[in-house]
Amino acid sequence: MADVRLVDIEKKYGNFLAVPQLNLTIEDGEFLVLLGPSGCGKTTTMRMIAGLEEITSGDIEIAGKRINDKPPKDRDIAMVFQNYGLYPHMTVRQNIDYPLKLRGVDRAARTRRVQETAEKVELEALLERRPSELSGGQRQRVALARAIVRTPSIFLMDEPLSNLDAKLRVTMRAELKHLHHELGVTTVYVTHDQMEAMTLASRIAIMREGRIVQLDTPKRIYSEPADLFVAGFIGSPSMNLIDGAIAGGVFTAPGVSFPVDQPDRDDVVLGIRPEDLEISTAPDAPVIGKLYALELTGESTLVTLRTGANSVCARGPADHEAEINAPCHFVPKPGARVHLFDRPSGHRLDGLSAKGQTL
Ligand SMILES: Nc1ncnc2c1ncn2[C@@H]1O[C@H](COP(=O)(O)OP(=O)(O)OP(=O)(O)O)[C@@H](O)[C@H]1O
Ligand SMILES: [Mg+2]
């Protein structure tokens, strides 16, 4: 097992700066998730840790040792690639077996391990096929099996579940969580799926344009997003973000009026999550508009109202029924958290930044 330290690492492709001066310490045994939009540098960062991409400057340390010049095979890392990276001429069995064979594990132990691992990822029936004879999701499971067939010092997983159907993704997510609990191997995991990030991570690093904008536990990322980018990225449906101004201790926007403990200022964004709002008939509710859409999700109904240029969404009870275009009022639930951000910089407003405001 090992901790991983990235010290001022930078990656340039020609003149293009893909990752500028990244600093990140992944603790021993931690499950760190890199989360961010396409092109923000997640794969590049993983490939630098794996040694598959040369770093332009900076240092990478594993277990306290600088490993910049160590070839990939000597880093004791198992990686799941975004594009699978399977050996096309080998069968599924041979692909999964390869890391064990490379390390001289004896044949009987290898056969047993390959079988056990194939069962974990539901591939037992496909062991004699070649990658070209598999679907995308099946290939992805082979790549996952090849990584978890042995216990390395570090796992690097680049969107290992993205091509699986919803049901299998949830099963595999639990499998990975269990595996991490059993083995405690330091893991860096890339995903676009914020639910996956929230459920798997010890900490989440949210990346944007090669930079880490927030590094925190899932709980804090959710309850205290550092800026508008993070606030909008985490949560489904995402946080309601409403442009307005504060005057006399009240945040105001068309149809919206919230008491806040902040000095007067313009260019403010108020954020409140759909799960922190409930439907009300109160005439003085803080959010008043017309019902725009009702979406039943199974366990709840997403209720969207329109007021001025804003749409505001609340998570209501599954049995909620109402007419589209009818008046619709929302109030914060007891204990609801209201977030305030500075519009020009996007930063969370100080004063509220430590704990958020509870109504
Ligand atoms: N070999 C390369 N040459 C030039 N630019 C590259 C190269 N590889 C990646 N890039 C650029 O570096 C940036 C980061 O790419 P990277 O693949 O790390 O993104 P990502 O966060 O993994 O995105 P995705 O979620 O789409 O996989 C992108 O702008 C990409 O176009
Ligand atoms: Mg990528």
Side-chain angles (χ1 to χ4, degrees), residues 225 227-235 237-239 241 273 341:
D227 65 12
L228 280 171
F229 176 76
V230 178
F233 207 81
I234 291 281
S238 51
M239 187 187 282
L241 296 170
R273 294 198 182 276
F341 303 92

Side-chain angles (χ1 to χ4, degrees), residues 86-105:
L86 301 175
Y87 305 112
H89 58 287
M90 292 185 188
T91 62
V92 169
R93 181 189 299 283
Q94 288 165 335
N95 264 284
I96 301 175
D97 184 41
Y98 191 68
L100 301 177
K101 197 173 170 189
L102 211 59
R103 280 163 185 82
V105 178

Side-chain angles (χ1 to χ4, degrees), residues 89-325:
H89 58 287
M90 292 185 188
T91 62
V92 169
R93 181 189 299 283
Q94 288 165 335
N95 264 284
I96 301 175
D97 184 41
Y98 191 68
L100 301 177
K101 197 173 170 189
L102 211 59
R103 280 163 185 82
V105 178
D106 73 71
R107 188 176 289 270
R110 275 165 45 199
T111 308
R112 200 177 57 240
R113 270 306 288 158
V114 170
Q115 189 63 34
E116 281 168 10
T117 310
E119 281 168 20
K120 273 200 177 115
V121 299
E122 300 178 25
L123 277 176
E124 314 92 286
L126 304 175
L127 283 169
E128 307 316 325
R129 294 225 197 141
R130 286 181 205 282
S132 60
E133 299 161 333
L134 301 176
S135 73
Q138 290 165 341
R139 287 179 206 182
Q140 195 161 42
R141 279 181 279 152
V142 180
L144 194 58
R146 194 179 53 184
I148 65 177
V149 74
R150 66 183 190 98
T151 308
S153 299
I154 297 162
F155 279 124
L156 300 179
M157 301 192 174
D158 197 349
E159 312 224 18
L161 309 183
S162 59
N163 280 311
L164 306 185
D165 64 51
K167 187 160 170 276
L168 196 55
R169 201 179 314 158
V170 173
T171 316
M172 286 295 137
R173 196 169 76 195
E175 198 62 56
L176 284 177
K177 184 132 197 180
H178 184 74
L179 188 79
H180 183 252
H181 179 78
E182 298 258 287
L183 304 178
V185 173
T186 311
T187 304
V188 188
Y189 187 100
V190 166
T191 181
H192 277 109
D193 182 334
Q194 43 110 13
M195 183 60 101
E196 229 170 84
M198 293 293 284
T199 50
L200 288 171
S202 326
R203 286 187 304 162
I204 301 175
I206 305 221
M207 288 183 74
R208 182 185 196 184
E209 293 171 3
R211 294 186 167 80
I212 293 176
V213 289
Q214 188 168 5
L215 172 64
D216 236 321
T217 59
K219 202 172 168 184
R220 285 190 40 128
I221 294 245
Y222 179 83
S223 61
E224 290 171 43
D227 65 12
L228 280 171
F229 176 76
V230 178
F233 207 81
I234 291 281
S236 178
S238 51
M239 187 187 282
N240 295 298
L241 296 170
I242 304 160
D243 279 284
I246 299 173
V250 181
F251 170 91
T252 315
V256 178
S257 145
F258 270 90
V260 291
D261 184 16
Q262 283 279 310
D264 291 4
R265 62 187 294 162
D266 294 331
D267 276 351
V268 182
V269 181
L270 179 136
I272 186 161
R273 294 198 182 276
E275 47 274 36
D276 276 342
L277 287 170
E278 62 188 8
I279 302 143
S280 157
T281 50
D284 59 346
V287 186
I288 295 179
K290 278 188 174 176
L291 181 62
Y292 187 73
L294 283 180
E295 296 160 88
L296 180 66
T297 65
E299 82 282 12
S300 63
T301 301
L302 301 177
V303 183
T304 305
L305 65 71
R306 291 278 259 181
T307 174
N310 289 309
S311 292
V312 183
C313 178
R315 196 181 277 283
D319 59 359
H320 181 72
E321 282 179 17
E323 293 292 323
I324 301 297
N325 289 325

Side-chain angles (χ1 to χ4, degrees), residues 46-53 55 60 62 67-78 103 150 152-154:
M46 298 282 256
R47 289 176 57 84
M48 288 193 286
I49 299 172
L52 298 167
E53 200 74 70
I55 55 177
I60 301 187
I62 295 182
I67 50 115
N68 291 27
D69 306 316
K70 241 189 190 184
K73 65 176 177 35
D74 296 336
R75 297 190 182 192
D76 197 20
I77 285 172
R103 280 163 185 82
R150 66 183 190 98
S153 299
I154 297 162

